[in-house]
């Protein structure tokens, strides 16, 4: 999906204090494309 910004959830000053992480998404159903396009 993408990369996080590196901010904590309680950060109110838009500072990068945490390491950035990559977000991956895996399909939960084998035929997910057919189900979404119906």
């Amino acid at each position: 999906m993408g990369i996080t910004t590196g901010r904590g959830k309680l950060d109110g000053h838009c500072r990068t204090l945490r390491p950035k992480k990559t977000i991956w998404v895996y399909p939960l159903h084998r035929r997910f494309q057919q189900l979404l396009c119906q």
Side-chain angles (χ1 to χ4, degrees), residues 10 12-13 24 27-30 32-33 35-36:
L10 299 177
H13 302 288
W24 292 87
L28 296 176
H29 196 277
R30 199 179 287 181
F32 75 95
Q33 289 178 329
L35 294 171
L36 288 175

Side-chain angles (χ1 to χ4, degrees), residues 3-16:
I3 299 175
T4 63
T5 59
R7 293 177 47 214
K9 66 180 179 180
L10 299 177
D11 180 34
H13 302 288
C14 299
R15 293 174 298 191
T16 302

